[in-house]
Amino acid sequence: MLKLQSALIARSRQYEAFNLPRLTPSQWIRLLEKIAALTEPSHKLRTGQVAGLQSLSTSIIVVERASQFLKNWPIGFHTFLRDVQEKGAASFSLQKTFGRLYHWLYVDLHDQEFSFLREAFDAYVNEHWWGLVCRRNRRLENKGANSARASIGLAAKISGSTPTRVKQLHLAGLIEAKKVIHPSGRQSWSVPITSVAEIYVLAAHSIDFRSAAAYLALPRQRVRELISAGVIHPYLSAGKGNSSTWMLPRYELDSLVLPSLQPAPIESPPCDPVTILQALKSWRLESGAFIALVRALNAGQITRIVQTPADTPFGKMQLSIKSLREWLEHWRKEHLLSMSISDAAKILGLKEQVAYDLVEAGLLSARMERSGYARRISNEEITRFQATYVAAATLSKMLNTSSRGLIARTQVTPVTGPNVDGKRQYFFRRSDSELILSQASRSISFPPL
Protein backbone atom coordinates (compact mmCIF):
# COMPACT_ATOMS: atom_id res chain seq x y z
CA MET A 1 0.00 0.00 0.00
CA LEU A 2 2.89 2.36 0.79
CA LYS A 3 4.43 1.68 -2.59
CA LEU A 4 1.06 2.28 -4.27
CA GLN A 5 0.58 5.58 -2.43
CA SER A 6 4.10 6.68 -3.28
CA ALA A 7 3.48 5.94 -6.94
CA LEU A 8 0.20 7.89 -6.81
CA ILE A 9 1.90 10.91 -5.21
CA ALA A 10 4.70 10.82 -7.75
CA ARG A 11 2.26 10.65 -10.69
CA SER A 12 0.08 13.45 -9.32
CA ARG A 13 2.96 15.90 -9.73
CA GLN A 14 2.95 15.34 -13.50
CA TYR A 15 -0.52 16.81 -14.00
CA GLU A 16 0.43 18.78 -17.12
CA ALA A 17 0.81 15.59 -19.11
CA PHE A 18 -2.72 14.45 -18.32
CA ASN A 19 -4.54 17.82 -18.64
CA LEU A 20 -5.65 17.56 -15.00
CA PRO A 21 -6.21 20.32 -12.43
CA ARG A 22 -3.16 21.66 -10.58
CA LEU A 23 -3.81 20.00 -7.21
CA THR A 24 -1.60 18.72 -4.42
CA PRO A 25 -1.97 15.10 -3.25
CA SER A 26 -3.99 16.20 -0.21
CA GLN A 27 -6.27 18.27 -2.40
CA TRP A 28 -6.72 15.30 -4.70
CA ILE A 29 -7.77 13.21 -1.72
CA ARG A 30 -10.34 15.86 -0.65
CA LEU A 31 -11.72 16.08 -4.19
CA LEU A 32 -11.95 12.32 -4.56
CA GLU A 33 -13.82 12.07 -1.26
CA LYS A 34 -16.36 14.65 -2.38
CA ILE A 35 -16.81 13.00 -5.78
CA ALA A 36 -17.28 9.64 -4.07
CA ALA A 37 -20.02 11.05 -1.86
CA LEU A 38 -21.72 12.90 -4.75
CA THR A 39 -21.79 9.88 -7.02
CA GLU A 40 -22.81 7.37 -4.35
CA PRO A 41 -25.91 5.58 -5.78
CA SER A 42 -27.71 5.39 -2.44
CA HIS A 43 -27.57 9.18 -1.84
CA LYS A 44 -28.23 8.50 1.85
CA LEU A 45 -24.92 9.63 3.30
CA ARG A 46 -25.84 11.79 6.26
CA THR A 47 -22.24 12.69 7.01
CA GLY A 48 -21.22 13.08 3.36
CA GLN A 49 -18.56 10.38 3.78
CA VAL A 50 -18.22 7.08 1.93
CA ALA A 51 -17.40 4.08 4.09
CA GLY A 52 -14.64 1.68 3.12
CA LEU A 53 -12.34 4.09 1.31
CA GLN A 54 -9.40 2.31 2.94
CA SER A 55 -10.34 -0.77 0.87
CA LEU A 56 -8.56 -1.04 -2.45
CA SER A 57 -11.69 -2.30 -4.24
CA THR A 58 -13.74 0.67 -2.99
CA SER A 59 -10.98 3.12 -3.84
CA ILE A 60 -10.79 1.78 -7.38
CA ILE A 61 -14.54 2.40 -7.84
CA VAL A 62 -14.14 5.95 -6.52
CA VAL A 63 -11.28 6.67 -8.91
CA GLU A 64 -13.31 5.29 -11.83
CA ARG A 65 -16.22 7.59 -10.94
CA ALA A 66 -13.84 10.51 -10.62
CA SER A 67 -12.41 9.83 -14.07
CA GLN A 68 -15.91 10.03 -15.59
CA PHE A 69 -16.56 13.15 -13.55
CA LEU A 70 -13.43 14.89 -14.87
CA LYS A 71 -13.45 13.43 -18.39
CA ASN A 72 -13.66 16.01 -21.21
CA TRP A 73 -13.98 18.77 -18.66
CA PRO A 74 -16.52 20.25 -18.07
CA ILE A 75 -18.85 18.00 -20.12
CA GLY A 76 -18.91 15.18 -17.57
CA PHE A 77 -19.47 17.64 -14.72
CA HIS A 78 -22.31 19.38 -16.58
CA THR A 79 -23.92 16.02 -17.33
CA PHE A 80 -23.86 15.25 -13.61
CA LEU A 81 -25.39 18.64 -12.77
CA ARG A 82 -28.17 18.13 -15.33
CA ASP A 83 -29.05 14.75 -13.84
CA VAL A 84 -29.19 16.24 -10.34
CA GLN A 85 -31.39 19.10 -11.53
CA GLU A 86 -33.83 16.85 -13.41
CA LYS A 87 -34.19 14.33 -10.57
CA GLY A 88 -34.73 16.95 -7.86
CA ALA A 89 -37.94 18.84 -7.12
CA ALA A 90 -38.37 22.07 -9.08
CA SER A 91 -37.12 24.98 -7.02
CA PHE A 92 -35.64 28.40 -7.63
CA SER A 93 -33.16 27.79 -4.81
CA LEU A 94 -29.70 26.68 -5.93
CA GLN A 95 -28.96 25.25 -2.51
CA LYS A 96 -32.18 23.21 -2.37
CA THR A 97 -31.68 21.91 -5.91
CA PHE A 98 -28.00 20.91 -5.71
CA GLY A 99 -27.89 20.12 -2.00
CA ARG A 100 -24.48 19.59 -0.38
CA LEU A 101 -22.72 20.16 -3.72
CA TYR A 102 -23.48 23.88 -3.49
CA HIS A 103 -22.00 24.05 0.02
CA TRP A 104 -18.94 22.00 -0.88
CA LEU A 105 -18.08 24.11 -3.93
CA TYR A 106 -18.16 27.43 -2.08
CA VAL A 107 -17.24 26.42 1.49
CA ASP A 108 -15.44 23.10 1.82
CA LEU A 109 -13.53 23.45 -1.45
CA HIS A 110 -12.99 27.19 -1.23
CA ASP A 111 -9.28 26.99 -2.12
CA GLN A 112 -8.19 28.82 -5.23
CA GLU A 113 -7.06 25.52 -6.75
CA PHE A 114 -10.72 24.38 -6.87
CA SER A 115 -11.87 27.49 -8.75
CA PHE A 116 -12.18 25.39 -11.92
CA LEU A 117 -15.14 23.63 -10.24
CA ARG A 118 -16.87 26.88 -9.39
CA GLU A 119 -16.26 28.32 -12.88
CA ALA A 120 -17.81 25.24 -14.48
CA PHE A 121 -20.75 25.42 -12.06
CA ASP A 122 -21.27 29.12 -12.83
CA ALA A 123 -21.21 28.39 -16.57
CA TYR A 124 -23.81 25.65 -16.18
CA VAL A 125 -26.09 27.83 -14.06
CA ASN A 126 -25.82 30.71 -16.52
CA GLU A 127 -27.01 28.50 -19.38
CA HIS A 128 -29.25 25.83 -17.89
CA TRP A 129 -30.59 27.12 -14.57
CA TRP A 130 -34.35 27.62 -14.71
CA GLY A 131 -34.36 30.18 -11.93
CA LEU A 132 -32.80 33.60 -11.55
CA VAL A 133 -29.33 34.49 -10.34
CA CYS A 134 -29.32 37.76 -8.45
CA ARG A 135 -27.48 39.52 -5.65
CA ARG A 136 -28.86 37.13 -3.08
CA ASN A 137 -26.67 34.40 -4.61
CA ARG A 138 -23.57 35.90 -2.98
CA ARG A 139 -21.42 32.81 -3.40
CA LEU A 140 -21.51 32.82 -7.21
CA GLU A 141 -18.59 34.64 -8.71
CA ASN A 142 -20.64 36.16 -11.58
CA LYS A 143 -23.57 37.14 -9.39
CA GLY A 144 -25.99 39.45 -11.12
CA ALA A 145 -24.42 38.69 -14.50
CA ASN A 146 -26.79 35.85 -15.38
CA SER A 147 -28.51 36.80 -18.63
CA ALA A 148 -30.10 33.51 -19.58
CA ARG A 149 -33.43 34.14 -17.85
CA ALA A 150 -35.55 37.01 -16.64
CA SER A 151 -38.38 37.36 -14.19
CA ILE A 152 -41.86 37.37 -15.67
CA GLY A 153 -42.27 41.02 -14.70
CA LEU A 154 -39.05 42.06 -16.42
CA ALA A 155 -39.90 39.98 -19.50
CA ALA A 156 -43.31 41.66 -19.73
CA LYS A 157 -41.80 45.13 -19.32
CA ILE A 158 -39.17 44.60 -22.01
CA SER A 159 -41.62 43.07 -24.49
CA GLY A 160 -44.31 45.68 -23.91
CA SER A 161 -46.78 43.10 -22.60
CA THR A 162 -48.18 42.19 -19.20
CA PRO A 163 -47.22 39.39 -16.77
CA THR A 164 -50.67 37.86 -17.22
CA ARG A 165 -50.29 37.81 -20.98
CA VAL A 166 -46.84 36.21 -20.71
CA LYS A 167 -48.30 33.45 -18.51
CA GLN A 168 -51.13 32.90 -20.99
CA LEU A 169 -48.68 32.60 -23.89
CA HIS A 170 -46.74 29.98 -21.94
CA LEU A 171 -49.86 28.01 -21.00
CA ALA A 172 -50.86 28.06 -24.67
CA GLY A 173 -47.49 26.50 -25.55
CA LEU A 174 -46.19 29.53 -27.48
CA ILE A 175 -43.20 30.44 -25.30
CA GLU A 176 -40.97 28.66 -22.84
CA ALA A 177 -41.21 29.51 -19.15
CA LYS A 178 -40.59 27.81 -15.83
CA LYS A 179 -43.09 27.85 -12.97
CA VAL A 180 -42.28 26.78 -9.42
CA ILE A 181 -44.91 26.40 -6.71
CA HIS A 182 -43.51 27.07 -3.25
CA PRO A 183 -44.70 25.18 -0.15
CA SER A 184 -46.74 28.25 0.79
CA GLY A 185 -48.63 28.03 -2.50
CA ARG A 186 -46.95 31.10 -3.98
CA GLN A 187 -45.83 30.77 -7.60
CA SER A 188 -42.58 32.00 -9.10
CA TRP A 189 -41.95 32.32 -12.84
CA SER A 190 -38.87 32.78 -14.99
CA VAL A 191 -38.64 33.28 -18.75
CA PRO A 192 -35.64 32.66 -21.02
CA ILE A 193 -34.21 35.84 -22.43
CA THR A 194 -34.58 34.31 -25.89
CA SER A 195 -38.35 34.20 -25.36
CA VAL A 196 -38.61 37.94 -24.68
CA ALA A 197 -38.20 38.73 -28.37
CA GLU A 198 -40.83 36.10 -29.19
CA ILE A 199 -43.26 37.74 -26.76
CA TYR A 200 -42.65 41.13 -28.38
CA VAL A 201 -43.29 39.77 -31.87
CA LEU A 202 -46.49 38.01 -30.79
CA ALA A 203 -47.80 41.11 -29.06
CA ALA A 204 -46.82 43.52 -31.85
CA HIS A 205 -48.25 41.44 -34.69
CA SER A 206 -51.55 40.35 -33.16
CA ILE A 207 -55.02 41.81 -32.91
CA ASP A 208 -57.99 41.11 -30.63
CA PHE A 209 -61.20 39.51 -31.84
CA ARG A 210 -63.36 42.64 -31.96
CA SER A 211 -60.70 44.60 -33.81
CA ALA A 212 -60.19 41.70 -36.24
CA ALA A 213 -63.88 41.79 -37.23
CA ALA A 214 -63.64 45.54 -37.89
CA TYR A 215 -60.31 45.09 -39.71
CA LEU A 216 -61.87 42.55 -42.08
CA ALA A 217 -65.23 44.39 -42.31
CA LEU A 218 -67.02 41.12 -41.49
CA PRO A 219 -69.59 40.13 -38.87
CA ARG A 220 -68.03 38.51 -35.81
CA GLN A 221 -69.77 35.22 -36.54
CA ARG A 222 -68.00 35.06 -39.90
CA VAL A 223 -64.65 35.60 -38.17
CA ARG A 224 -65.50 32.69 -35.86
CA GLU A 225 -66.19 30.57 -38.95
CA LEU A 226 -62.74 31.42 -40.31
CA ILE A 227 -61.17 30.37 -37.02
CA SER A 228 -63.19 27.15 -36.75
CA ALA A 229 -62.28 26.20 -40.34
CA GLY A 230 -58.56 26.73 -39.70
CA VAL A 231 -58.24 29.68 -42.07
CA ILE A 232 -57.11 31.81 -39.11
CA HIS A 233 -55.03 30.26 -36.33
CA PRO A 234 -55.31 32.34 -33.13
CA TYR A 235 -52.34 32.68 -30.82
CA LEU A 236 -54.77 32.88 -27.92
CA SER A 237 -58.51 32.29 -27.77
CA ALA A 238 -61.06 32.54 -25.00
CA GLY A 239 -60.42 29.61 -22.70
CA LYS A 240 -57.02 28.76 -24.22
CA GLY A 241 -54.15 29.40 -21.83
CA ASN A 242 -56.64 30.70 -19.23
CA SER A 243 -57.19 33.69 -21.49
CA SER A 244 -60.42 35.66 -21.64
CA THR A 245 -59.34 37.60 -24.72
CA TRP A 246 -58.15 36.72 -28.22
CA MET A 247 -54.85 37.20 -30.02
CA LEU A 248 -55.19 36.75 -33.78
CA PRO A 249 -52.17 36.95 -36.13
CA ARG A 250 -52.46 40.04 -38.27
CA TYR A 251 -50.51 38.50 -41.16
CA GLU A 252 -53.18 35.81 -41.57
CA LEU A 253 -55.86 38.50 -41.77
CA ASP A 254 -53.82 40.31 -44.41
CA SER A 255 -53.39 37.10 -46.40
CA LEU A 256 -57.14 37.08 -47.07
CA VAL A 257 -56.78 40.29 -49.08
CA LEU A 258 -53.31 39.98 -50.59
CA PRO A 259 -52.92 38.10 -53.88
CA SER A 260 -52.53 34.37 -53.44
CA LEU A 261 -50.09 32.02 -55.19
CA GLN A 262 -52.79 31.58 -57.85
CA PRO A 263 -54.11 35.13 -58.39
CA ALA A 264 -57.80 35.43 -59.12
CA PRO A 265 -58.90 36.86 -62.47
CA ILE A 266 -59.32 40.63 -62.22
CA GLU A 267 -61.97 42.46 -64.17
CA SER A 268 -62.11 46.20 -64.62
CA PRO A 269 -65.35 48.20 -64.55
CA PRO A 270 -67.90 48.47 -66.07
CA CYS A 271 -69.26 45.36 -64.39
CA ASP A 272 -72.02 44.44 -61.97
CA PRO A 273 -69.98 44.23 -58.77
CA VAL A 274 -71.01 42.82 -55.41
CA THR A 275 -68.99 42.98 -52.21
CA ILE A 276 -68.41 39.92 -50.08
CA LEU A 277 -70.32 41.57 -47.24
CA GLN A 278 -73.33 42.23 -49.50
CA ALA A 279 -73.37 38.61 -50.65
CA LEU A 280 -73.24 37.40 -47.05
CA LYS A 281 -76.17 39.62 -46.05
CA SER A 282 -78.44 39.15 -49.07
CA TRP A 283 -77.68 35.83 -50.73
CA ARG A 284 -78.49 33.54 -47.78
CA LEU A 285 -75.44 31.36 -48.14
CA GLU A 286 -75.71 27.83 -46.80
CA SER A 287 -73.53 26.47 -44.04
CA GLY A 288 -70.00 26.00 -45.33
CA ALA A 289 -70.46 28.23 -48.36
CA PHE A 290 -68.57 31.18 -46.85
CA ILE A 291 -65.44 29.15 -46.10
CA ALA A 292 -65.63 27.59 -49.56
CA LEU A 293 -65.90 31.10 -51.04
CA VAL A 294 -62.76 32.23 -49.20
CA ARG A 295 -60.83 29.22 -50.45
CA ALA A 296 -62.15 29.69 -53.97
CA LEU A 297 -60.87 33.27 -53.93
CA ASN A 298 -57.43 32.06 -52.83
CA ALA A 299 -57.50 29.47 -55.62
CA GLY A 300 -58.39 32.09 -58.24
CA GLN A 301 -61.81 30.60 -59.06
CA ILE A 302 -63.82 33.83 -58.67
CA THR A 303 -63.29 37.03 -60.64
CA ARG A 304 -62.40 40.11 -58.60
CA ILE A 305 -62.95 43.73 -59.59
CA VAL A 306 -60.00 46.11 -59.60
CA GLN A 307 -60.02 47.92 -56.26
CA THR A 308 -58.54 51.20 -55.06
CA PRO A 309 -57.11 51.76 -52.53
CA ALA A 310 -55.13 48.55 -52.16
CA ASP A 311 -55.88 48.24 -48.43
CA THR A 312 -59.60 47.60 -48.97
CA PRO A 313 -60.94 45.35 -46.18
CA PHE A 314 -61.76 41.78 -47.07
CA GLY A 315 -65.50 42.22 -46.56
CA LYS A 316 -65.58 45.18 -48.98
CA MET A 317 -63.69 43.40 -51.74
CA GLN A 318 -65.74 43.62 -54.97
CA LEU A 319 -66.46 40.50 -56.99
CA SER A 320 -68.12 39.89 -60.31
CA ILE A 321 -71.76 38.93 -59.71
CA LYS A 322 -71.76 36.59 -62.69
CA SER A 323 -68.58 34.84 -61.63
CA LEU A 324 -69.75 34.51 -58.02
CA ARG A 325 -73.15 33.10 -59.02
CA GLU A 326 -71.62 30.55 -61.37
CA TRP A 327 -69.23 29.40 -58.69
CA LEU A 328 -71.99 29.25 -56.06
CA GLU A 329 -74.28 27.17 -58.26
CA HIS A 330 -71.47 24.74 -58.98
CA TRP A 331 -70.58 24.52 -55.29
CA ARG A 332 -74.18 23.90 -54.27
CA LYS A 333 -74.49 21.12 -56.78
CA GLU A 334 -71.28 19.47 -55.61
CA HIS A 335 -71.49 19.90 -51.85
CA LEU A 336 -75.00 20.49 -50.57
CA LEU A 337 -76.77 17.50 -49.08
CA SER A 338 -80.07 19.34 -49.35
CA MET A 339 -81.28 22.67 -50.65
CA SER A 340 -84.32 24.85 -50.96
CA ILE A 341 -86.63 24.59 -53.96
CA SER A 342 -85.31 27.96 -55.18
CA ASP A 343 -81.72 26.73 -55.08
CA ALA A 344 -82.74 23.51 -56.83
CA ALA A 345 -84.33 25.58 -59.62
CA LYS A 346 -81.04 27.43 -60.14
CA ILE A 347 -79.09 24.18 -60.40
CA LEU A 348 -81.63 22.70 -62.84
CA GLY A 349 -81.69 25.90 -64.90
CA LEU A 350 -85.45 26.36 -64.36
CA LYS A 351 -87.66 29.16 -63.21
CA GLU A 352 -88.60 28.99 -59.57
CA GLN A 353 -92.30 28.46 -60.26
CA VAL A 354 -91.51 25.56 -62.61
CA ALA A 355 -89.54 23.86 -59.81
CA TYR A 356 -92.52 24.29 -57.46
CA ASP A 357 -94.78 22.77 -60.16
CA LEU A 358 -92.49 19.73 -60.42
CA VAL A 359 -92.63 19.27 -56.64
CA GLU A 360 -96.45 19.51 -56.64
CA ALA A 361 -96.64 17.03 -59.52
CA GLY A 362 -94.53 14.57 -57.54
CA LEU A 363 -91.75 14.49 -60.14
CA LEU A 364 -89.28 16.23 -57.83
CA SER A 365 -89.35 14.90 -54.28
CA ALA A 366 -89.01 17.36 -51.40
CA ARG A 367 -89.12 16.69 -47.68
CA MET A 368 -90.44 19.00 -44.99
CA GLU A 369 -87.95 20.38 -42.47
CA ARG A 370 -88.42 19.67 -38.78
CA SER A 371 -89.60 23.24 -38.29
CA GLY A 372 -92.46 22.53 -40.69
CA TYR A 373 -92.00 25.82 -42.53
CA ALA A 374 -89.82 24.89 -45.51
CA ARG A 375 -89.21 22.01 -47.90
CA ARG A 376 -85.77 20.73 -48.83
CA ILE A 377 -84.53 18.79 -51.86
CA SER A 378 -81.56 16.47 -51.53
CA ASN A 379 -78.63 16.50 -53.91
CA GLU A 380 -79.35 12.87 -54.75
CA GLU A 381 -82.89 13.81 -55.78
CA ILE A 382 -81.54 16.43 -58.17
CA THR A 383 -79.31 13.79 -59.77
CA ARG A 384 -82.24 11.32 -60.00
CA PHE A 385 -84.54 13.91 -61.60
CA GLN A 386 -81.94 14.88 -64.23
CA ALA A 387 -81.43 11.22 -65.10
CA THR A 388 -85.20 10.50 -65.31
CA TYR A 389 -86.81 13.53 -66.96
CA VAL A 390 -85.99 16.00 -69.68
CA ALA A 391 -87.67 19.32 -70.50
CA ALA A 392 -89.50 19.63 -73.85
CA ALA A 393 -87.62 22.90 -74.34
CA THR A 394 -84.31 21.01 -74.26
CA LEU A 395 -85.43 18.56 -76.96
CA SER A 396 -87.00 21.26 -79.10
CA LYS A 397 -83.70 23.18 -79.23
CA MET A 398 -82.04 20.11 -80.70
CA LEU A 399 -84.57 20.22 -83.57
CA ASN A 400 -84.60 23.99 -83.87
CA THR A 401 -88.28 24.19 -83.11
CA SER A 402 -90.59 25.24 -80.26
CA SER A 403 -91.95 23.13 -77.42
CA ARG A 404 -95.48 23.31 -78.85
CA GLY A 405 -94.16 22.28 -82.26
CA LEU A 406 -92.43 19.31 -80.69
CA ILE A 407 -95.57 18.25 -78.82
CA ALA A 408 -97.60 18.45 -82.06
CA ARG A 409 -95.17 16.24 -83.96
CA THR A 410 -94.80 13.36 -81.46
CA GLN A 411 -97.19 10.74 -80.21
CA VAL A 412 -95.43 10.42 -76.83
CA THR A 413 -97.47 11.93 -73.98
CA PRO A 414 -95.58 14.31 -71.64
CA VAL A 415 -95.57 13.49 -67.92
CA THR A 416 -96.48 17.08 -67.07
CA GLY A 417 -97.37 20.28 -68.89
CA PRO A 418 -100.18 22.78 -69.67
CA ASN A 419 -102.36 20.24 -71.50
CA VAL A 420 -101.57 17.39 -69.08
CA ASP A 421 -101.97 18.73 -65.55
CA GLY A 422 -102.05 22.47 -66.03
CA LYS A 423 -98.40 23.05 -65.11
CA ARG A 424 -96.30 25.66 -66.88
CA GLN A 425 -93.75 23.53 -68.71
CA TYR A 426 -93.73 20.19 -70.53
CA PHE A 427 -91.44 17.37 -69.37
CA PHE A 428 -90.90 13.92 -70.89
CA ARG A 429 -89.30 10.81 -69.57
CA ARG A 430 -85.70 10.73 -70.70
CA SER A 431 -86.10 7.12 -71.78
CA ASP A 432 -88.57 8.34 -74.48
CA SER A 433 -86.29 11.08 -75.81
CA GLU A 434 -84.90 9.06 -78.75
CA LEU A 435 -88.42 8.11 -79.89
CA ILE A 436 -89.60 11.71 -79.52
CA LEU A 437 -86.70 13.08 -81.56
CA SER A 438 -87.22 10.42 -84.23
CA GLN A 439 -90.97 11.12 -84.62
CA ALA A 440 -90.55 14.89 -84.56
CA SER A 441 -87.70 14.95 -87.05
CA ARG A 442 -89.67 12.91 -89.61
CA SER A 443 -92.60 15.31 -89.47
CA ILE A 444 -90.49 18.44 -89.79
CA SER A 445 -90.11 19.71 -93.38
CA PHE A 446 -86.75 21.35 -93.86
CA PRO A 447 -86.35 24.11 -96.52
CA PRO A 448 -84.48 23.10 -99.71
CA LEU A 449 -80.79 23.89 -99.90
Side-chain angles (χ1 to χ4, degrees), residues 40 71 77 124 145 149 173 187 202 242 336 351 399 416:
E40 178 63 31
K71 184 178 180 180
F77 183 48
Y124 176 85
R149 305 187 76 87
Q187 297 182 359
L202 291 173
N242 292 339
L336 288 185
K351 292 184 179 180
L399 298 173
T416 185

Side-chain angles (χ1 to χ4, degrees), residues 78-146:
H78 285 180
T79 301
F80 170 78
L81 294 176
R82 185 183 67 249
D83 293 340
V84 173
Q85 186 176 359
E86 292 177 352
K87 293 177 181 178
S91 172
F92 280 175
S93 170
L94 286 168
Q95 191 164 1
K96 289 181 180 180
T97 301
F98 296 103
R100 58 169 62 95
L101 170 64
Y102 185 74
H103 185 271
W104 286 344
L105 289 177
Y106 294 96
V107 179
D108 294 354
L109 302 177
H110 66 279
D111 300 347
Q112 181 62 30
E113 288 77 8
F114 295 108
S115 61
F116 72 96
L117 291 171
R118 291 186 289 273
E119 291 174 359
F121 183 77
D122 287 356
Y124 176 85
V125 168
N126 186 63
E127 185 175 358
H128 301 289
W129 177 238
W130 53 45
L132 306 175
V133 177
C134 52
R135 294 178 181 177
R136 290 181 297 177
N137 301 101
R138 292 172 294 176
R139 290 172 174 168
L140 269 68
E141 295 180 3
N142 61 342
K143 55 189 176 185
N146 178 272

Side-chain angles (χ1 to χ4, degrees), residues 237-249:
S237 59
K240 182 180 180 181
N242 292 339
S243 175
S244 58
T245 56
W246 293 73
M247 286 182 66
L248 304 177

Side-chain angles (χ1 to χ4, degrees), residues 324-385:
L324 182 58
R325 282 177 175 169
E326 290 177 352
W327 170 85
L328 186 58
E329 290 178 7
H330 176 76
W331 180 85
R332 283 169 172 165
K333 184 176 181 180
E334 294 291 330
H335 296 85
L336 288 185
L337 297 178
S338 65
M339 64 199 77
S340 65
I341 297 178
S342 299
D343 292 335
K346 294 177 182 179
I347 293 176
L348 294 172
L350 303 174
K351 292 184 179 180
E352 186 174 327
Q353 186 57 50
V354 174
Y356 276 97
D357 288 344
L358 293 172
V359 171
E360 292 178 2
L363 303 180
L364 189 60
S365 178
R367 60 176 178 81
M368 187 66 67
E369 285 187 335
R370 293 182 179 180
S371 61
Y373 294 103
R375 290 175 291 183
R376 306 286 293 181
I377 299 175
S378 67
N379 195 23
E380 291 79 2
E381 177 62 16
I382 293 293
T383 303
R384 186 202 65 81
F385 177 84

